[in-house]
Amino acid sequence: MSTVATPRQALAADPSLRPVVSFHGVNKTYPNGTSALRGVDLAIYQKDFVFLVGASGAGKSSLIRLLIREESATNGRIFVDGQEVTRLPRRKLPRLRRKFGIVFQDFKLLPQLTVAQNVAFALQVTRPGIRHLKERVEETLWIVGLEEKLNKFPNQLSGGEQQRVAIARALVHRPMIFLADEPTGNLDPDTSWGIVQLLLQINHRGTTVIMATHNREIVDLVRKRVIAIEKGKVVRDEQEGQYLKEGEATL
Ligand SMILES: Nc1ncnc2c1ncn2[C@@H]1O[C@H](COP(=O)(O)OP(=O)(O)OP(=O)(O)O)[C@@H](O)[C@H]1O
Ligand SMILES: [Mg+2]
């Protein structure tokens, strides 16, 4: 018998070639009958930076909610880091969710805690008893450029700074995959650009980034992978893609 690996075996053996996220024929219909995702097939790799684009109601947030099992797929299979999310028992959900860092359009910071305390609190929840907590928090705030705002409260910060705190909080447990659902939705263009630069830097350090966005300028400037969703279906998936398909006037 030959000991030479077939291409398929070689692929399976090299973790950098294995998708970190995959969807196989995924459908999501909410209890009220709304069909949010239809037959979604996707593979996302560790080094990917993915823009999820599509009109309002296309299914971008639903896709993100299925990934972290905040919602369950109606049918189809979803894998994250080799684990089948769609079959995961409830008790294993915290471990699944620790693989992700998540930020949203609204920053969801705790107003009564300082910047450092907001970040530390998140780490204490996901990793109770973690050692070198202070150093981890400070290092993460340095990555997002907020090392001088450690002791400020959220209401003493600009919107862009608040989003950076949210990013630090999502990053502090060193997630494998960073999910950003419309992270620049409340920010002006310059500040939005700064946030995207930060996400690119996070991606450069080895974290997969999936960002749902309506921000055409950013998608067209960055030229990363673009997955377009229309009425729950993936209608376009391009490396170095653009916000709109050539010849398309609007989304
Ligand atoms: N909890 C829910 N129950 C019922 N229907 C829902 C629920 N959440 C979302 N939907 C519906 O599912 C579809 C997809 O919604 P989703 O929030 O995923 O879209 P989206 O692409 O994130 O839109 P946006 O750009 O506005 O954030 C929409 O028709 C929406 O009304
Ligand atoms: Mg959404």
Side-chain angles (χ1 to χ4, degrees):
M1 209 171 78
S2 162
T3 54
V4 177
T6 63
R8 181 179 278 272
Q9 284 167 332
L11 268 177
D14 183 348
S16 69
L17 297 175
R18 223 169 31 208
V20 287
V21 166
S22 63
F23 281 62
H24 308 264
V26 173
N27 295 300
K28 172 65 185 174
T29 306
Y30 285 106
N32 68 358
T34 305
S35 173
L37 293 174
R38 307 160 193 244
V40 171
D41 289 305
L42 277 182
I44 295 174
Y45 297 87
Q46 199 205 328
K47 294 200 173 90
D48 282 351
F49 187 112
V50 178
F51 286 119
L52 270 184
V53 305
S56 187
K60 304 178 295 296
S61 298
S62 298
L63 192 148
I64 287 173
R65 287 200 288 269
L66 291 185
L67 261 183
I68 57 173
R69 259 281 295 273
E70 200 179 291
E71 287 286 346
S72 295
T74 307
N75 47 49
R77 305 173 81 185
I78 301 173
F79 292 84
V80 170
D81 189 24
Q83 241 183 348
E84 185 168 357
V85 171
T86 29
R87 294 172 66 120
L88 217 53
R90 233 161 222 294
R91 66 188 159 80
K92 293 202 172 156
L93 292 184
R95 205 192 305 162
L96 167 76
R97 290 177 186 154
R98 283 200 290 272
K99 294 182 195 291
F100 294 98
I102 312 175
V103 294
F104 301 95
Q105 180 167 351
D106 50 339
F107 320 121
K108 301 187 200 291
L109 300 176
L110 296 168
Q112 74 282 20
L113 300 185
T114 65
V115 164
Q117 286 167 342
N118 262 281
V119 177
F121 181 72
L123 190 55
Q124 282 164 324
V125 169
T126 50
R127 299 270 157 88
I130 188 158
R131 293 170 64 193
H132 310 298
L133 176 74
K134 189 165 177 284
E135 289 80 356
R136 284 279 289 268
V137 168
E138 288 179 6
E139 182 199 356
T140 312
L141 285 167
W142 176 82
I143 291 173
V144 303
L146 283 183
E147 65 275 19
E148 292 183 351
K149 307 272 174 168
L150 291 174
N151 298 317
K152 299 269 188 238
F153 287 90
N155 67 5
Q156 298 174 305
L157 302 177
S158 70
E161 288 168 341
Q162 290 185 47
Q163 188 58 298
R164 283 173 190 270
V165 180
I167 291 173
R169 188 182 52 183
L171 210 57
V172 71
H173 65 284
R174 299 180 183 157
M176 169 184 266
I177 304 159
F178 198 91
L179 302 173
D181 195 351
E182 195 65 38
T184 63
N186 283 334
L187 304 174
D188 64 66
D190 281 351
T191 311
S192 299
W193 185 242
I195 294 294
V196 170
Q197 290 301 320
L198 179 57
L199 296 183
L200 287 165
Q201 191 190 323
I202 290 166
N203 175 244
H204 199 69
R205 286 165 174 260
T207 306
T208 312
V209 175
I210 304 174
M211 169 171 163
T213 186
H214 289 283
N215 196 319
R216 179 178 178 174
E217 289 75 24
I218 283 176
V219 174
D220 289 349
L221 275 170
V222 172
R223 298 304 295 252
K224 290 285 189 184
R225 182 172 172 190
V226 172
I227 297 176
I229 307 182
E230 208 177 284
K231 297 193 180 110
K233 285 191 174 161
V234 173
V235 292
R236 185 160 54 95
D237 184 349
E238 289 173 344
Q239 301 296 332
E240 299 179 34
Q242 286 182 280
Y243 190 73
L244 297 176
K245 194 168 64 193
E246 240 170 88
E248 205 175 36
T250 54
L251 247 174

